[in-house]
């Protein structure tokens, strides 16, 4: 079967690109003939617009010369929704089933708080899709406001970090944040949390790995006289990211809105002690006080207590990290993810 997958450029920062990059060279390409069409890249508005136009042109050529049996679209909310509309309409005009793989996290802004006209547009576009993939049961309930629940499959993200890594000594006092440096990820809460942690653990160090609102967040640390104990690495990937995960003891992720973050899965796979929030699919991943700590978003005091407990009690940090790692191996491997994906493909093609 020929699958056309609409994806971002492989160098794009973020979870969607991480998910798709794991497909390349995997067993999926052995079982299906996969054509990747890139429709998004980082850069200026003109760079993004030109990339989208190139993607539409490549898709039209494919329809004319080597028509796929199924189109798998990786989408989010906001501008991503509008960029993917032409692919959805063209696929349906060609009577090709469409699987819409939704990675977005801000459904309230995208749909629940949208105007009546925008809601009608979203419903019209989504109802042209054959099946949907969402990242958690919570997101299935949200998307079921728009399309029938029996057309929605839950396929969680996965951890595909290599099992064997170069030996790196874990730094027992190092806390890691990994992701976009922005308000939605709780980055402006981290200076407050870290300030409390430092009172109990004066030797604690923090690594902020990501980019975005870097200067504003640096200023928040500077105002608290904490900047000398914080390293900003910029966006990391590949071996650099693996090294940071292997070096760190605690993973702090105080996000306010998520689907199923790849960063949390990767931290679990690397056996870190995890402190995060009860949003999106995260509660499916972490069992509170067993494989990590889950707190309400914005509960900075509780998160500071959790981070301090993990830094002060090495055995607690190790045991929670081990259980988190086993959870990933048993439930969130790439193999299991691809098995579920193939089942969605089968159901989508039955609807042709």
């Amino acid at each position: 079967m020929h699958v056309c997958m609409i994806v971002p450029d492989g160098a794009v920062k973020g979870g969607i690109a991480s998910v798709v990059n794991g497909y390349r060279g995997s067993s999926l390409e052995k079982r299906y003939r996969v054509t990747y069409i890139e429709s998004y890249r980082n850069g200026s508005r003109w760079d993004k617009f030109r990339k989208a136009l190139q993607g539409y042109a490549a898709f039209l050529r494919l329809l004319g010369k080597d028509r796929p049996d199924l189109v798998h679209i990786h989408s989010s909310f906001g501008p991503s929704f509008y960029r993917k509309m032409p692919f959805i309409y063209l696929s349906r005009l060609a009577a090709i089933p469409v699987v819409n793989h939704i990675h977005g996290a801000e459904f309230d802004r995208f749909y629940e708080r949208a105007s009546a006209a925008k809601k009608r547009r979203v419903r019209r576009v989504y109802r042209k899709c054959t099946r949907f993939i969402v990242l958690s049961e919570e997101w299935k309930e949200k998307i079921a406001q728009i399309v029938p629940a029996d057309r929605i499959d839950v396929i969680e993200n996965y951890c595909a970090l290599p099992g064997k890594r170069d030996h790196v000594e874990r730094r027992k006092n190092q806390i890691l944040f990994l992701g976009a440096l922005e308000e939605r990820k709780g980055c402006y809460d981290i200076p407050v949390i870290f300030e409390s942690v430092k009172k109990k653990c004066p030797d604690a160090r923090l690594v902020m790995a990501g980019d975005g609102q870097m200067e504003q967040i640096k200023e928040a640390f500077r105002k608290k006289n904490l900047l000398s104990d914080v390293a900003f690495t910029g966006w990391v990937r590949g071996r650099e990211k693996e090294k940071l995960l292997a070096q760190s003891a605690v993973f702090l992720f105080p996000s306010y809105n998520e689907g199923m973050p790849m960063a949390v899965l990767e931290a679990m796979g690397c056996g870190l002690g995890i402190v995060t929030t009860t949003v999106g699919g995260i509660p499916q991943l972490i069992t509170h006080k067993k494989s990590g700590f889950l707190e309400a978003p914005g509960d900075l005091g509780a998160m500071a207590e959790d981070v301090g407990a993990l830094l002060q009690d090495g055995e607690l940090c190790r045991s929670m990290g081990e259980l988190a790692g086993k959870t990933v191996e048993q439930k969130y491997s790439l193999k299991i993810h691809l098995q579920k994906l193939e089942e969605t493909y089968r159901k989508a093609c039955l609807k042709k």
Side-chain angles (χ1 to χ4, degrees):
M1 186 168 83
H2 182 194
V3 176
C4 174
M5 198 175 294
I6 310 300
V7 302
D9 181 293
V12 164
K13 302 161 184 174
I16 298 179
S18 295
V19 170
V20 173
N21 288 343
Y23 295 163
R24 300 179 191 269
S26 74
S27 62
L28 185 72
E29 294 181 348
K30 296 177 182 177
R31 294 180 58 83
Y32 300 90
R33 186 160 61 91
V34 182
T35 299
Y36 299 97
I37 290 181
E38 297 176 351
S39 66
Y40 179 77
R41 58 159 293 178
N42 293 129
S44 67
R45 288 185 179 181
W46 167 244
D47 291 332
K48 294 172 183 178
F49 180 65
R50 183 170 57 182
K51 188 68 172 179
L53 290 179
Q54 290 170 346
Y56 302 144
F59 189 61
L60 285 169
R61 288 194 297 271
L62 190 70
L63 292 179
K65 294 182 179 179
D66 190 12
R67 182 182 181 278
D69 300 296
L70 180 141
V71 175
H72 179 176
I73 296 174
H74 292 268
S75 71
S76 185
F77 303 138
S80 175
F81 169 78
Y82 295 99
R83 278 196 305 273
K84 303 305 164 50
M85 282 174 56
F87 294 109
I88 293 170
Y89 278 103
L90 288 168
S91 299
R92 298 313 292 149
L93 282 171
I96 301 171
V98 174
V99 173
N100 192 344
H101 194 153
I102 300 174
H103 300 259
E106 294 188 277
F107 185 74
D108 55 346
R109 183 181 301 177
F110 169 70
Y111 184 79
E112 291 176 343
R113 300 203 304 256
S115 66
K118 183 176 180 181
K119 285 182 176 179
R120 286 195 297 272
R121 186 184 305 117
V122 171
R123 290 195 296 268
R124 186 165 57 247
V125 172
Y126 274 18
R127 287 170 183 171
K128 291 188 177 295
C129 300
T130 313
R131 294 203 71 80
F132 294 83
I133 295 172
V134 297
L135 308 183
S136 68
E137 291 293 339
E138 179 196 39
W139 280 98
K140 181 173 182 176
E141 291 179 12
K142 290 178 182 290
I143 301 301
Q145 297 179 42
I146 309 174
V147 296
D150 62 3
R151 288 168 54 190
I152 306 171
D153 297 321
V154 176
I155 304 181
E156 300 88 349
N157 284 339
Y158 60 88
C159 177
L161 289 177
K164 293 182 179 179
R165 303 178 185 84
D166 296 335
H167 176 71
V168 176
E169 184 178 355
R170 198 176 292 282
R171 298 170 182 171
K172 296 180 181 180
N173 66 333
Q174 183 162 298
I175 307 160
L176 173 67
F177 169 86
L178 187 65
L181 302 182
E182 60 185 17
E183 187 174 5
R184 181 174 71 85
K185 297 286 186 180
C187 290
Y188 290 93
D189 292 343
I190 294 177
V192 180
I193 295 169
F194 190 52
E195 182 180 41
S196 295
V197 169
K198 289 284 287 182
K199 291 175 182 176
K200 292 187 177 180
C201 309
D203 66 338
R205 297 276 301 169
L206 173 66
V207 177
M208 300 289 290
D211 64 8
Q213 298 166 12
M214 186 181 293
E215 292 307 315
Q216 297 94 316
I217 294 167
K218 278 186 177 180
E219 182 59 26
F221 282 105
R222 187 178 291 112
K223 287 180 178 178
K224 292 183 176 294
N225 296 315
L226 294 170
L227 195 55
S228 60
D229 290 319
V230 184
F232 286 80
T233 66
W235 195 267
V236 294
R237 52 168 57 91
R239 287 186 177 273
E240 188 179 2
K241 178 169 67 174
E242 291 174 31
K243 183 177 179 181
L244 275 177
L245 285 161
Q247 283 177 339
S248 302
V250 175
F251 185 72
L252 174 61
F253 196 74
S255 186
Y256 283 82
N257 211 327
E258 290 294 332
M260 181 165 283
M262 291 291 283
V264 172
L265 281 161
E266 290 167 345
M268 292 173 68
C270 289
L272 276 72
I274 296 170
V275 178
T276 186
T277 54
T278 55
V279 297
I282 295 176
Q284 288 180 226
L285 303 175
I286 301 289
T287 301
H288 183 48
K289 295 186 178 181
K290 291 185 178 179
S291 56
F293 287 104
L294 289 175
E295 305 294 354
D299 193 344
L300 312 190
M303 284 185 267
E305 287 290 327
D306 297 339
V307 172
L310 291 170
L311 292 178
Q312 291 175 316
D313 188 340
E315 178 56 30
L316 175 68
C317 193
R318 185 197 62 77
S319 63
M320 282 190 167
E322 278 190 1
L323 183 56
K326 289 177 182 177
T327 301
V328 162
E329 291 175 10
Q330 294 168 2
K331 297 182 179 180
Y332 301 105
S333 68
L334 177 59
K335 180 180 179 181
I336 292 171
H337 176 94
L338 293 179
Q339 288 171 349
K340 292 180 179 180
L341 183 59
E342 290 184 26
E343 178 61 17
T344 293
Y345 283 1
R346 186 189 68 79
K347 288 187 284 189
C349 289
L350 285 176
K351 292 286 184 179
K352 289 176 65 175

